[in-house]
Amino acid sequence: MGDIGKLVMKWHDSFGKATDFDSWGQLVEAVDEYMILARQLLKEAQSPPNCSGFTEDQKKILGKIAACLEVRSQSLQTTQSNEEFPLEDLKQLEPVIKNILTYNKEFPFDVQPLPQRRLLAPGEEQSLDVGGEEEEDGAVGAAGGVTSHVFNARPSGTLLPRLPSEPGMTLLTIRIDKIGLKDAGQCIDPYITVSVKDASAVELSPVQDTPVASRKEDTFVHFGMDVEIQKHVEQLPKGAAIFFEFKHYKPKKHFTSTKCFAFMEMDEIKPGPVVIELYKKPTDFKRRKLTLLTKKPLYLHLHQTLHKD
């Protein structure tokens, strides 16, 4: 067994030790083990490219595991119920850690990898800089009233610049104007994840997250943001679609959740405004079992611009 295999075994043993402490009610010991393991995972996840035996995708998974460990450890230190992220849920990570080198399934939770910041030891002062507005509705998170946004989108988003133009090829800019939701004002730090998939749900271009929405007004969440599709229109295969997943932070569960999704098919790519319907989660990238979110006239409002050299 190589060094990486031994490291994974060590992590797996540490995870088992921590969950054992947790199940026995030895919460101080459990928190210590969770945070030690989280720091080890985060250190590996943040190692420079080519300086690690793990792939970039595997390092993202390590960052997500670290996020889950931190939230569980925080919930054990608060006077609130620690069942908001139950031990039974956390135990779903055991096979992920054990099989990290071959893991190719979807991560069990809709979370963001832990941001690149120092993980603090239990008991240390923790001030999380989330770069956004204070939470609405008096929402309080874990760790004695400090809301943990480790599951949240980066406030600046991950939008990419427009591709270089090529003769005879068309680029598409989609301006996300607004989305209509009956509870728009209650959505915390909402953002939209944009992806391009073929008919078999295979990724065709990099996934992009918008920054957090600019404002909420009545039944609308306003974005007013341009997304540059990272593929020339002529290169998109028949049956492909552009997906828009609306996500928001859920303080009671300490993670970011997909609320609904919409998609635009190839025959809908044309200059000007377009309004598309919203569907219930989970996101069905193969578009086989679609259920409208609501019967009310609430949609995702977009505006398309085509650039041809």
Side-chain angles (χ1 to χ4, degrees):
M1 182 183 295
D3 290 342
I4 294 181
K6 290 178 182 177
L7 183 59
V8 172
M9 274 190 65
K10 181 183 174 185
W11 289 342
H12 183 252
D13 290 345
S14 178
F15 181 78
K17 187 177 178 183
T19 53
D20 282 348
F21 279 136
D22 199 342
S23 64
W24 297 335
Q26 294 178 243
L27 304 188
V28 174
E29 292 85 351
V31 168
D32 283 344
E33 287 294 329
Y34 283 140
M35 296 306 287
I36 289 169
L37 178 56
R39 284 196 294 275
Q40 291 173 352
L41 297 178
L42 195 61
K43 181 180 178 182
E44 193 67 44
Q46 295 177 0
S47 61
N50 305 320
C51 294
S52 169
F54 295 93
T55 67
E56 291 305 304
D57 284 341
Q58 288 167 351
K59 289 198 283 188
K60 284 182 183 177
I61 294 174
L62 294 178
K64 289 182 177 184
I65 295 170
C68 294
L69 294 173
E70 186 186 52
V71 170
R72 178 61 186 170
S73 67
Q74 287 181 346
S75 71
L76 295 179
Q77 298 175 78
T78 180
T79 54
Q80 300 172 25
S81 168
N82 63 34
E83 294 309 308
E84 288 179 351
F85 190 63
L87 177 59
E88 289 70 27
D89 285 357
L90 190 73
K91 284 184 175 179
Q92 294 180 47
L93 298 179
E94 187 270 334
V96 183
I97 296 173
K98 185 177 181 180
N99 303 304
I100 184 68
L101 297 175
T102 56
Y103 191 78
N104 59 3
K105 299 176 184 177
E106 190 170 342
F107 196 75
F109 307 105
D110 182 15
V111 303
Q112 296 292 329
L114 202 62
Q116 294 204 3
R117 60 177 174 80
R118 186 171 71 94
L119 262 178
L120 302 175
E124 285 190 73
E125 184 80 23
Q126 176 140 236
S127 175
L128 298 179
D129 179 16
V130 298
E133 298 175 10
E134 291 184 10
E135 292 208 351
E136 301 164 316
D137 303 325
V140 177
V146 178
T147 301
S148 171
H149 274 50
V150 295
F151 287 75
N152 206 0
R154 282 170 289 209
S156 57
T158 59
L159 296 182
L160 298 167
R162 189 180 307 164
L163 293 175
S165 60
E166 293 185 21
M169 302 294 274
T170 308
L171 289 169
L172 171 62
T173 301
I174 298 177
R175 185 171 184 81
I176 300 176
D177 183 17
K178 60 186 179 180
I179 185 171
L181 296 166
K182 62 182 180 181
D183 57 350
Q186 296 174 18
C187 295
I188 297 173
D189 287 354
Y191 68 101
I192 290 178
T193 296
V194 181
S195 57
V196 185
K197 312 271 189 181
D198 69 10
S200 300
V202 174
E203 209 82 65
L204 296 176
S205 72
V207 176
Q208 302 180 68
D209 290 335
T210 70
V212 167
S214 57
R215 62 190 171 92
K216 291 168 277 188
E217 187 178 84
D218 299 326
T219 55
F220 286 105
V221 178
H222 292 263
F223 287 89
M225 299 168 188
D226 288 342
V227 180
E228 304 291 348
I229 300 304
Q230 302 292 299
K231 198 92 171 174
H232 291 92
V233 174
E234 291 80 3
Q235 295 175 322
L236 294 174
K238 184 179 179 181
I242 302 169
F243 285 83
F244 306 85
E245 297 173 271
F246 180 85
K247 300 180 178 181
H248 64 131
Y249 180 70
K250 303 188 83 168
K252 288 186 178 179
K253 293 187 177 180
H254 305 298
F255 62 77
T256 293
S257 171
T258 299
K259 184 176 181 67
C260 60
F261 72 99
F263 61 87
M264 195 174 70
E265 298 182 314
M266 294 303 96
D267 59 356
E268 295 175 279
I269 295 180
K270 49 196 169 189
V274 61
V275 175
I276 55 179
E277 294 180 310
L278 305 175
Y279 295 96
K280 289 182 179 178
K281 63 178 182 181
T283 308
D284 181 6
F285 291 118
K286 293 185 179 179
R287 292 160 274 161
R288 290 176 181 168
K289 295 180 181 179
L290 299 170
T291 306
L292 286 173
L293 179 67
T294 176
K295 293 179 181 178
K296 294 182 179 181
L298 299 172
Y299 307 100
L300 178 63
H301 297 250
L302 308 171
H303 189 283
Q304 302 180 76
T305 304
L306 295 172
H307 312 271
K308 192 159 187 173
D309 192 8

